[in-house]
Amino acid sequence: MKAHDGIYLDGAWRPALSGEVIDVVDPVDEQVIARVPAAGAEDVDAAVRAARAALPGWAATAPAERAARLSALRDALAARKDEIAETVTAELGAPLAFSQAVHAAVPIAVAGSYADLAARHAFEEKVGNSTVFHEPVGVVAAITPWNYPLHQVVAKVAPALAAGCTVVLKPAEDTPLVAQLFAEAVHDAGVPAGVFNLVTGLGPVAGQALAEHPGVDLVSFTGSTAVGRTIAATAGAAVKKVALELGGKSANVILPSADLAKAVNVGVANVMSNSGQTCSAWTRMLVHRDQYDEAVELARTAAAKYGDRIGPLVNAKQQARVRGYIEKGVAEGARLVAGGAEPPRERGYFVSPTVFADVTPEMTIAQEEIFGPVLSVLRYEDEEDALRIANGTVYGLAGAVWAGDEAEAVAFARRMDTGQVDINGGRFNPLAPFGGYKQSGVGRELGAHGLAEYLQTKSLQF
Ligand code: NAP
Ligand code: MG
């Protein structure tokens, strides 16, 4: 695949000073498909300086002009949607249809939403004898993972640009190619030099240098809880703003009055989608004891249908990690009803769609984020028991409730300690705030709430 051999710095592609490279691997056949720079601390420093220099000009542009650049960015992405899908398929391994419908389509919609929001947002308001200005936070460090590689970039960069911030992006080492394509789209959209900068590189090198850089005002991170904790501690010590989107272990609660077959089928599809590499996936299915056996049988049949249709995991490390969790589930006494730790193919980082029954709330597979196509089906006694189980992890990112009556589902959802709940299969809404309760994170992304993360207030009294 074609790739830039430089970093996008101050409006142009320039060689990285580090001289190091990253091999980009296709997870389906394990072949190297491209090489990109692995930037070092001096490259990160140059990018932050460029962002800092561009900040006063960009912060002072009229919101209508920022909206126009974001609208052009949306159009530039839309014009290249097939190329986006092919790129994500090549470096992440997602089936092409899924890359088109989700990995390409969702970020185009989100970029469009911020073109609208930048045009409509009240960056100035009256409060009594004060005028309150909503001003950009400053230079943003965006550090993103590989699982929704373009979506996670756009969900940070678009609101940051809408707010008047400038950005340095460090994308995941596994998926730098779609980030390069994004940088080209930003360039073609006429965003001024230095407003957006891309440094491809390794987390502990480029990522850490960026998160620690004194020229950064806000670090927005999506990824593992372990790295998120370190970033929050570093940012806290420097009194820097931080936004974290971490893991999840979301509950899919099927109340006795629900359409059981629909709830189970949609629930299995939710977990298997993107090979289970979704932070908001409903990886714990909670079923009333009287319907439990029927639900397990439905889940087994549904998982079997996926067979060969899901893509691989992103890399060998993730494949080994997920297989390790499946072995742990068996060792702790859960009953394997579909899939298993044995890889379904010799080549590629594949894991079979896997379903565990007889999972109890304290088991490792019911507590920790697996990030693979693995569903745990848990039994509950009554509604209070279901609520205790649903709320019984350190996470609180997403969830689902199914019931015959919408009001019944809503009443249950209101008691869940989680940032999002889909009622009877409610659709993804790119304008709804997305983010976690408890250890799933700090802050919200998407829509007006996502924009607010990149603004700070100044009050003038009259
Ligand atoms: P990760 O290491 O947290 O990666 C996320 C991003 O942070 C990547 O760009 C990564 O760079 C960077 N990074 C790594 N170490 C860093 C450091 N010390 N300082 C600054 N940045 C750093 O996550 P992962 O290893 O790819 O995945 C591990 C697990 O995290 C998964 O199994 C899953 O449970 C969870 N995860 C959650 C999400 C989510 O959406 N919430 C997304 C991905 C993973 P590199 O790419 O070079 O590592
Ligand atoms: Mg990592």
Side-chain angles (χ1 to χ4, degrees):
M1 292 213 92
K2 85 174 207 283
H4 289 277
D5 58 5
I7 58 176
Y8 183 70
L9 175 71
D10 203 14
W13 294 92
R14 303 175 204 272
L17 300 170
S18 71
E20 307 280 319
V21 294
I22 295 172
D23 286 339
V24 184
V25 173
D26 181 339
V28 171
D29 63 11
E30 306 181 21
Q31 298 300 303
V32 174
I33 53 171
R35 281 194 176 86
V36 301
E42 64 278 34
D43 298 306
V44 168
D45 183 56
V48 174
R49 283 167 192 278
R52 202 77 256 153
L55 181 63
W58 185 245
T61 43
E65 169 59 16
R66 302 203 294 265
R69 290 308 113 229
L70 284 163
S71 183
L73 173 61
R74 192 221 79 95
D75 293 348
L77 294 172
R80 297 176 71 180
K81 64 180 183 354
D82 292 336
E83 207 186 327
I84 292 169
E86 284 155 21
T87 304
V88 175
T89 288
E91 61 187 352
L92 179 65
L96 191 59
F98 188 77
S99 290
Q100 285 162 336
V102 176
H103 291 299
V106 173
I108 293 167
V110 172
S113 77
Y114 280 110
D116 290 349
L117 278 162
R120 287 190 292 104
H121 192 79
F123 288 96
E124 195 181 316
E125 58 178 321
K126 291 267 186 240
V127 181
N129 64 313
S130 303
T131 301
V132 179
F133 294 93
H134 296 262
E135 299 188 340
V137 160
V139 174
V140 172
I143 301 177
T144 55
W146 38 264
N147 54 328
Y148 288 87
L150 183 59
H151 171 63
Q152 283 143 336
V153 165
V154 173
K156 297 188 191 308
V157 177
L161 297 188
C165 294
T166 58
V167 180
V168 178
L169 167 67
K170 204 302 278 178
E173 68 187 85
D174 296 288
T175 53
L177 300 179
V178 78
Q180 290 194 339
L181 191 159
F182 175 77
E184 290 175 358
V186 170
H187 187 90
D188 294 345
V191 173
V195 170
F196 170 81
N197 306 275
L198 169 70
V199 284
T200 50
L202 303 179
V205 183
Q208 194 170 327
L210 181 58
E212 288 175 355
H213 200 291
V216 165
D217 299 295
L218 179 151
V219 184
S220 179
F221 169 82
T222 299
S224 64
T225 306
V227 174
R229 226 186 277 283
T230 313
I231 286 179
T234 309
V239 199
K240 231 179 247 179
K241 282 194 154 205
V242 65
L244 304 172
E245 208 272 88
L246 309 176
K249 193 71 194 177
S250 296
N252 178 13
V253 181
I254 306 176
L255 294 173
S257 61
D259 177 341
L260 184 67
K262 185 176 177 198
V264 172
N265 281 311
V266 174
V268 170
N270 175 285
V271 172
M272 301 309 162
S273 140
N274 210 36
S275 307
Q277 302 167 117
T278 305
C279 46
S280 55
W282 310 332
T283 48
R284 297 180 298 145
M285 182 181 284
L286 276 53
V287 184
H288 189 270
R289 61 170 179 196
D290 293 345
Q291 297 170 320
Y292 190 79
D293 292 341
E294 190 185 349
V296 168
E297 185 49 30
L298 285 164
R300 192 188 61 74
T301 311
K305 278 197 311 229
Y306 284 86
D308 240 19
R309 298 215 319 268
I310 66 170
L313 299 188
V314 70
N315 59 34
K317 188 175 143 209
Q318 287 298 119
Q319 184 196 36
R321 190 184 133 98
V322 172
R323 292 180 63 201
Y325 274 114
I326 297 173
E327 282 161 5
K328 192 141 199 178
V330 172
E332 290 183 8
R335 175 164 55 98
L336 200 53
V337 295
E342 215 40 55
R345 302 190 199 177
E346 252 172 51
R347 196 175 262 282
Y349 309 123
F350 291 87
V351 170
S352 295
T354 296
V355 176
F356 276 111
D358 300 340
V359 179
T360 54
E362 72 290 348
M363 285 181 185
T364 306
I365 57 167
Q367 288 293 329
E368 295 184 13
E369 182 173 59
I370 297 174
F371 235 59
V374 183
L375 171 67
S376 294
V377 190
L378 292 90
R379 190 186 275 106
Y380 69 81
E381 295 293 317
D382 54 29
E383 222 172 272
E384 291 309 308
D385 190 33
L387 188 70
R388 259 192 313 273
I389 297 170
N391 287 340
T393 77
V394 297
Y395 293 116
L397 188 55
V401 183
W402 302 79
D405 174 32
E406 200 170 280
E408 185 192 353
V410 170
F412 190 97
R414 290 299 303 271
R415 299 169 73 197
M416 291 169 78
D417 301 329
T418 191
Q420 282 211 345
V421 185
D422 296 342
I423 303 295
N424 285 335
R427 281 176 302 116
F428 173 73
N429 175 2
L431 291 175
F434 182 90
Y437 279 34
K438 302 194 281 186
Q439 289 182 30
S440 285
V442 176
R444 293 292 179 271
E445 296 198 308
L446 304 179
H449 298 81
L451 177 58
E453 295 283 329
Y454 297 94
L455 294 166
Q456 57 190 345
T457 55
K458 178 182 288 170
S459 307
L460 268 52
Q461 285 61 247
F462 295 89

